[in-house]
Structure formats: structure tokens, C-alpha cells
Amino acid sequence: MTNYFLQPDGRGYKELAEGARTRTFWGEQMLFSLVEVDAGALVPLHTHPHEQGGIIVQGELEMGIGGEVRLLKPGDMYIIPGNVEHYAQGQDTKAVALDIFSPVREEFKY
């Protein structure tokens, strides 16, 4: 039976970098990543072949995508094509973002 409804509470975290962690949920073609970034924490510059879209839910994140840098606030969205360098840095308070990856990132299935 398929589990149509998922609860982040009670789901353990996967560490992304010091001060940054995620809880992931996936289907056949996409993966949701509920990311928390502590104040001042850095998710360093990286790439992956997956397309990534996201929305800031709480707090603020400085994001650099393909050499362009912006300060993102709740409600701001972004799209990162596969293989484009990007990073995220927390600001004054913890930030929460919901990222969606396609296809599913196998290394995020835990």
C-alpha cells in the first residue's frame, strides 16, 4: 500500500553540512527535502545533476546560483538547473526551505 500522507515530525535528520540538515521524502520521480540551516551556517558551493526547485518557508538565506547572489526571504522561490554551482548561507536566525529534486536523489533516501 502506498503512503500518501507523510509527517516530518519524528523523521530523523540527514546532515548536509555543519549546521545544515534535511528530512527527505520521495516518490517515483521527485524528492522533497525539508532543509534547516542554522544562523550563519554554510552549505558550501556544490553541483549535482538533479534539477532543484525550492521555496523559503522561514528565516532568510543568502543563495548563490550560477554566480548570481540573492538574499531570499519567506515566499521567495528558486530553480537550479542540473550541474549549476550553488550554495546557501544562513543569516541571523535559522532558515527553513522546502527543496524539490527531480529525479530522486538516491543519496538522500535514508
Side-chain angles (χ1 to χ4, degrees):
M1 176 174 208
T2 302
N3 188 2
Y4 296 109
F5 302 99
L6 306 166
Q7 294 294 322
D9 294 341
R11 175 91 167 117
Y13 290 94
K14 177 177 178 64
E15 186 172 336
L16 300 173
E18 187 174 339
R21 62 212 155 270
T22 187
R23 292 175 284 177
T24 59
F25 307 87
W26 55 90
E28 292 290 322
Q29 303 296 319
M30 67 179 169
L31 177 138
F32 281 28
S33 176
L34 192 56
V35 180
E36 297 180 9
V37 180
D38 293 338
L42 174 66
V43 178
L45 193 64
H46 65 282
T47 65
H48 44 75
H50 312 81
E51 187 171 48
Q52 175 180 349
I55 184 169
I56 304 300
V57 176
Q58 172 187 320
E60 297 180 353
L61 279 179
E62 176 186 292
M63 288 194 72
I65 303 171
E68 185 176 344
V69 177
R70 298 264 176 103
L71 181 63
L72 302 179
K73 299 178 181 189
D76 290 342
M77 292 186 244
Y78 46 91
I79 300 287
I80 307 169
N83 300 311
V84 171
E85 287 189 322
H86 57 284
Y87 75 89
Q89 179 144 31
Q91 298 301 292
D92 295 334
T93 62
K94 180 177 85 171
V96 177
L98 175 63
D99 284 339
I100 301 167
F101 293 90
S102 181
V104 171
R105 290 186 67 172
E106 293 296 321
E107 71 272 23
F108 277 15
K109 291 168 72 173
Y110 67 98

